[in-house]
Amino acid sequence: MALIVCHSPKGGTGTTFVAAHLAQGLVAQGAEVTVLTTATFDPLPLHFALPPATRLPSLLAPADQAVVVNGIDLRKMTRAEHEPDFAAMIGDLGFLEAGNERVMIVDVPSGQLGFARSLLEIAQLHLCTLTAAPECLSMIPRLIDGEDGVWGAQSMLVLNRLDETRRLSRHSAAFLRELAGSRLLGRVRLDEAVPEAGAMLQPLDRYAPTSAALTDLVQIAQAVGVRLEAEGVAFDTSAVDTSAVDTRQAAADVRQSAKQSRVA
Ligand SMILES: Nc1ncnc2c1ncn2[C@@H]1O[C@H](COP(=O)(O)OP(=O)(O)O)[C@@H](O)[C@H]1O
Ligand SMILES: [Mg+2]
């Protein structure tokens, strides 16, 4: 079991977008994934090509009310930040048991700092999505020194909306790489296919299976899979549906070859 917190101190950087695609990438590696959003208004259903009016069931709702897309159980709990026993609650639901392939990704809106910080006590991984914009870069020292940010030993950065054709974006990204060092998990390029897929109500892997953003997201999910494995989380790769979309096959292949190269 693994708990992954997706939270950034800056809204609109693509936290939900990364959370949704991380879920898909981990399912491709054999994980059993639940995504929980704690936002009141959240575009999570859109990233799964669900109708915008879709109401996600509560975390506590029974299985027959579940909204499941590609094997990913999508849940919502707006009051989670006011729930003093949230950790106990997800423990009771079996989410904190060691040694199985269940993964819960909690997508926390930027304003819920206290809640995100409290989750760091039980999470295996925290992904903080930033962009190469000055307002994000200027936040990093305060974020990393932990004073009013959300940052822990398991926190990693994802650089999103990288535009390598723009000098400022390129330079800012280089600066961020220097600041974050090994804490930078990966980058996702700015890609018009992302909003286009949303506008077409299609998942990105169907609308633009070879898009730059999707390629980057598959790599990020791969890097997360490797980190979780190092933490002792074992996915059931025999359950991977390799007949699914190409990118899932690619993720499974990359994971397999990463395993083989570690064995060699
Ligand atoms: N790499 C990208 N390229 C293009 N658009 C992106 C990219 N990442 C995110 N977006 C778009 O940015 C918007 C905000 O993303 P979202 O995940 O809702 O942000 P947050 O959860 O941080 O508030 C969405 O419309 C999303 O589709
Ligand atoms: Mg969001």
Side-chain angles (χ1 to χ4, degrees), residues 6-264:
C6 290
H7 174 268
S8 170
K10 176 84 178 66
T13 56
T15 301
T16 301
F17 166 71
V18 169
H21 287 90
L22 175 60
Q24 296 178 26
L26 290 177
V27 162
Q29 296 171 59
E32 192 189 314
V33 182
T34 298
V35 183
L36 173 70
T37 170
T38 63
T40 310
F41 298 105
D42 201 275
L44 188 63
L46 212 61
H47 292 295
F48 288 92
L50 291 167
T54 306
R55 295 272 173 271
L56 297 181
S58 156
L59 183 61
L60 302 174
D64 62 355
Q65 291 174 23
V67 171
V68 179
V69 183
N70 295 334
I72 303 164
D73 191 356
L74 302 176
R75 301 280 174 156
K76 177 168 178 158
M77 188 176 249
T78 316
R79 64 179 170 83
E81 66 166 328
H82 305 297
E83 189 60 67
D85 295 326
F86 181 76
M89 182 192 294
I90 59 172
D92 288 347
L93 292 169
F95 282 111
L96 301 179
E97 279 163 24
N100 63 33
E101 61 271 7
R102 282 179 97 180
V103 175
M104 177 185 267
I105 298 174
V106 191
D107 176 25
V108 183
S110 55
Q112 295 180 3
L113 282 169
F115 179 57
R117 210 178 286 118
S118 72
L119 290 180
L120 292 191
E121 288 167 25
I122 50 171
Q124 275 69 32
L125 184 64
H126 163 221
L127 289 193
C128 174
T129 304
L130 294 177
T131 67
E135 59 271 30
C136 282
L137 296 177
S138 64
M139 271 182 175
I140 292 178
R142 262 174 46 208
L143 173 74
I144 292 182
D145 78 14
E147 226 170 80
D148 48 6
V150 176
W151 195 255
Q154 70 283 61
S155 298
M156 301 289 292
L157 290 176
V158 172
L159 174 60
N160 189 24
R161 306 176 73 104
L162 176 64
D163 182 356
E164 280 165 335
T165 67
R166 296 279 162 189
R167 204 161 49 148
L168 179 61
S169 181
R170 244 183 3 251
H171 287 190
S172 303
F175 180 56
L176 195 136
R177 276 189 204 104
E178 204 171 297
L179 272 180
S182 60
R183 294 298 196 101
L184 185 62
L185 187 72
R187 59 95 163 94
V188 184
R189 283 165 283 177
L190 178 71
D191 192 336
E192 203 53 37
V194 174
E196 280 173 9
M200 299 295 285
L201 286 185
Q202 280 190 27
L204 187 57
D205 62 1
R206 186 166 329 128
Y207 178 76
T210 57
S211 59
L214 191 62
T215 308
D216 298 341
L217 290 158
V218 167
Q219 277 178 18
I220 285 176
Q222 171 60 32
V224 168
V226 169
R227 287 184 74 85
L228 293 185
E229 202 174 52
E231 297 252 340
V233 179
F235 297 149
D236 179 9
T237 43
S238 65
V240 174
D241 177 9
T242 49
S243 66
V245 189
D246 284 356
T247 49
R248 299 209 187 103
Q249 171 78 63
D253 289 348
V254 174
R255 186 171 174 74
Q256 193 57 33
S257 64
K259 255 189 197 158
Q260 279 162 358
S261 64
R262 278 202 305 281
V263 171

